[in-house]
Amino acid sequence: MNIKGSKILIIEDEQQINRLIELVLISDGFYNIKKAFDGAEALELIKSDKPDLIILDVMLPEIDGYTLCKQIKEDEYLKNIQVIMLTAKKMEEDILQGFESGAIDYILKPFSNKILLARIKAHLNNNDYTKTAYANLKIDDLKKVATLNDIPIDLTKFEFEILKILVSSPDVVFSRSRLLNYLRGDNGFNVSERAIDVQILNLRRKLGDFGSNIETIRGAGYKLKGINE
């Protein structure tokens, strides 16, 4: 699996360390990297442009790393994001708190650049985040292709992103405003909430009979039926 296009978010308030991690990733061919310097800024980035992996400092302004990690893991749409904590807090209780908050790894400062990179790559390789399936519907996020019964579906960029979000969390209701919040990010989408309704109608039409799995929840938004419904 090609992991170099993975969305990686570095959350570190020390400018030099933040830049160092970015350079380590760039030197190995990663290119889809964003940075944040406090917990509140990071949370907005995570909600607007869901990353695949987060490198998270614990001692952050606004929202500390433990709290931020818990908030990520409590969100149905965000909970599958992999979080690696990178911190100078090395007491046993600190490490346990990191894992209890939902981190997949805990790396102590000062760290080896090579070991940090190796662990990032190992976690990405162990998680096939780029492909998501719902029954016979498959989403390949790297290739930006959706297939139904192995036949490609001709979708606009906007339609693809909405479908990917719905497929990522079956039975979770997404309001129009929440969908827009996730979709806008840095992708340049400039649409109204009402435009979401149009895109959903287009998706249902393109999916044919399968489109009935996208349900309208009156007054709330849209969801994809639970797989066992």
Side-chain angles (χ1 to χ4, degrees), residues 27-145:
S27 69
D28 199 66
F30 288 90
Y31 58 86
N32 203 348
I33 305 163
K34 291 188 177 181
K35 301 187 292 180
F37 299 91
D38 67 63
E41 175 193 15
L43 187 58
E44 290 303 310
L45 273 174
I46 293 164
K47 288 181 176 180
S48 66
D49 190 21
K50 179 183 175 184
D52 303 301
L53 183 140
I54 293 171
I55 301 164
L56 176 63
D57 186 22
V58 170
M59 300 178 70
L60 291 169
E62 304 296 334
I63 304 173
D64 68 84
Y66 296 134
T67 302
L68 181 58
C69 192
K70 284 181 181 178
Q71 290 178 351
I72 292 167
K73 295 302 174 180
E74 288 170 357
D75 187 301
E76 284 296 320
Y77 178 61
L78 304 175
K79 67 181 182 182
N80 292 327
I81 298 172
Q82 299 190 87
V83 179
I84 296 176
M85 285 192 169
L86 189 65
T87 177
K89 293 175 73 67
K90 60 184 179 180
M91 299 298 290
E92 181 177 305
E93 56 266 30
D94 298 324
I95 298 171
L96 289 174
Q97 187 175 354
F99 285 114
E100 287 169 0
S101 66
I104 195 170
D105 207 341
Y106 196 100
I107 300 175
L108 295 174
K109 297 177 182 177
F111 55 89
S112 158
N113 295 348
K114 290 182 178 180
I115 290 176
L116 173 62
L117 185 60
R119 288 165 86 164
I120 290 169
K121 290 162 75 173
H123 290 306
L124 288 172
N125 276 316
N126 287 336
N127 184 40
D128 193 1
Y129 64 93
T130 62
K131 293 182 180 179
T132 308
Y134 173 90
N136 296 325
L137 177 65
K138 297 177 182 177
I139 304 288
D140 189 324
D141 195 24
L142 275 183
K143 295 180 179 178
K144 301 299 179 186
V145 173

Side-chain angles (χ1 to χ4, degrees), residues 206-223:
K206 292 181 178 182
L207 291 170
D209 292 341
F210 199 87
S212 63
N213 288 295
I214 301 176
E215 295 186 320
T216 301
I217 307 302
R218 189 178 296 276
Y222 298 99
K223 74 166 188 171

